[in-house]
Amino acid sequence: KSEQFNWDDYLKETESVAAPLHCFRQSRIPPTNDFKVGMKLEARDPRNVTSVCIATVIGITGARLRLRLDGSDNKNDFWRLVDSSDIQPIGTCEKKGGMLQPPLGFQMNASSWPTFLLRTLNGAEMAPAAFFRKEPPKPVPNCFKVGMKLEAIDRKNPYLICPATIGDVKGDEVFVTFDGWRGAFDYWCRCDSRDIFPVGWCSLTGDALQPPGNDVSITKSSAKIQSSPSKVTRRSMQSPQKSAPVPAQRGRKPGRGKPPGQSAV
Ligand code: MLY
């Protein structure tokens, strides 16, 4: 029933261009993902970035892993690329003279951490070192331009990757705007963020790219397509009144993007 989102058509219909590959801190060919659910690794605690913790692979999605810190709850899962510098094989921390830390919100008494750690690692299936890929180099300088299209992680729903447009550029930062969502999910990030991908990324990794939302203020270029009714026109040119009864799972309040330096995480 719902037509498949197609970048080639969408770029034509919105008269826009894809941001060039070399703008992104992503490998030209997405890294292969050999990890399996249940494998353990070391990961930087996203809520306490000075800590390296034990994490378990809870899910696999494209070139990303869904991770959960051992000893933490199931409400703080996070996603990392297999070539992220936030993850490493078990043993790396110790080799570097560091100590594995309990995650923020460790569910047991802090004094039970050493025992918990031993039990967690005993007989654990550790992800082989060869599965971890080297992080690609930083692109220099920021070569994004306003209006360029990309695929971006929705930071409020980080399992989702969505069609997006560069809304602004300031120094090393870009303003990522989500097509069809009226600014509610937009954020500023560094141009070398690992959360943004070139057009076509999801189709290469096998991730499901979300279709654009229904809301009007999709992109500045949407005005151009008023004369040519098309798939995109239907999706993006509805009047606000018409698009008001959106499906429940899309019922977010419209909001404004944040100014630079306050990127929503
Ligand atoms: N359940 C979510 C879905 C919103 C997703 C928006 N992304 C795709 C930009 C919500 O309505 O909050």
Side-chain angles (χ1 to χ4, degrees):
K1 41 177 178 76
S2 71
E3 292 149 84
Q4 267 251 228
F5 176 77
N6 177 288
W7 266 120
D8 286 337
D9 296 344
Y10 189 67
L11 289 177
K12 273 185 207 123
E13 286 156 0
T14 55
E15 294 180 35
S16 41
V17 295
L21 295 181
H22 64 263
C23 294
F24 296 88
R25 187 174 201 175
Q26 302 294 351
S27 61
R28 202 172 43 82
I29 297 158
T32 50
N33 191 343
D34 295 322
F35 288 81
K36 300 281 172 289
V37 168
M39 287 180 167
K40 293 196 190 295
L41 45 85
E42 294 181 2
R44 199 185 298 282
D45 184 343
R47 297 192 291 166
N48 188 16
V49 294
T50 54
S51 288
V52 178
C53 304
I54 296 293
T56 301
V57 177
I58 296 297
I60 308 279
T61 166
R64 295 191 298 161
L65 308 171
R66 175 178 179 167
L67 299 172
R68 185 174 299 165
L69 299 181
D70 287 72
S72 178
D73 55 76
N74 59 5
K75 302 281 185 304
N76 291 285
D77 290 355
F78 56 104
W79 284 257
R80 288 294 176 268
L81 287 158
V82 300
D83 61 2
S84 165
S85 59
D86 291 337
I87 59 170
Q88 58 198 25
I90 284 177
T92 313
C93 188
E94 194 178 45
K95 226 180 283 169
K96 291 181 178 168
M99 284 235 292
L100 289 167
Q101 301 295 324
L104 194 107
F106 180 53
Q107 290 181 309
M108 273 161 273
N109 197 305
S111 62
S112 60
W113 171 246
T115 319
F116 177 89
L117 185 59
L118 284 175
R119 288 209 185 124
T120 302
L121 293 178
N122 196 279
E125 188 186 359
M126 301 182 196
F131 289 7
F132 297 81
R133 314 283 167 182
K134 222 178 112 212
E135 184 165 68
K138 286 188 184 190
V140 277
N142 185 352
C143 66
F144 288 101
K145 301 270 176 293
V146 171
M148 285 177 170
K149 297 285 186 194
L150 66 158
E151 298 180 7
I153 288 178
D154 172 354
R155 287 184 170 175
K156 290 181 181 169
N157 306 279
Y159 45 92
L160 299 178
I161 304 183
C162 319
T165 307
I166 299 294
D168 202 354
V169 179
K170 268 196 184 95
D172 281 342
E173 301 233 320
V174 293
F175 190 54
V176 176
T177 70
F178 288 88
D179 288 24
W181 289 95
R182 291 193 183 198
F185 299 90
D186 301 353
Y187 57 82
W188 282 93
C189 67
R190 291 184 49 86
C191 63
D192 57 11
S193 166
R194 305 304 318 278
D195 289 352
I196 56 177
F197 308 95
V199 160
W201 178 265
C202 284
S203 84
L204 290 175
T205 60
D207 261 312
L209 179 69
Q210 298 302 300
N214 286 311
D215 276 330
V216 196
S217 63
I218 167 169
T219 63
K220 281 164 199 142
S221 49
S222 62
K224 291 183 196 161
I225 54 171
Q226 246 158 347
S227 53
S228 63
S230 64
K231 277 173 260 171
V232 171
T233 309
R234 262 182 283 121
R235 268 201 298 270
S236 60
M237 296 304 294
Q238 291 166 331
S239 68
Q241 300 91 305
K242 256 187 172 169
S243 60
V246 287
Q249 78 272 22
R250 287 181 173 178
R252 283 266 189 182
K253 270 188 261 116
R256 295 306 318 150
K258 292 198 170 62
Q262 298 188 9
S263 35
V265 179

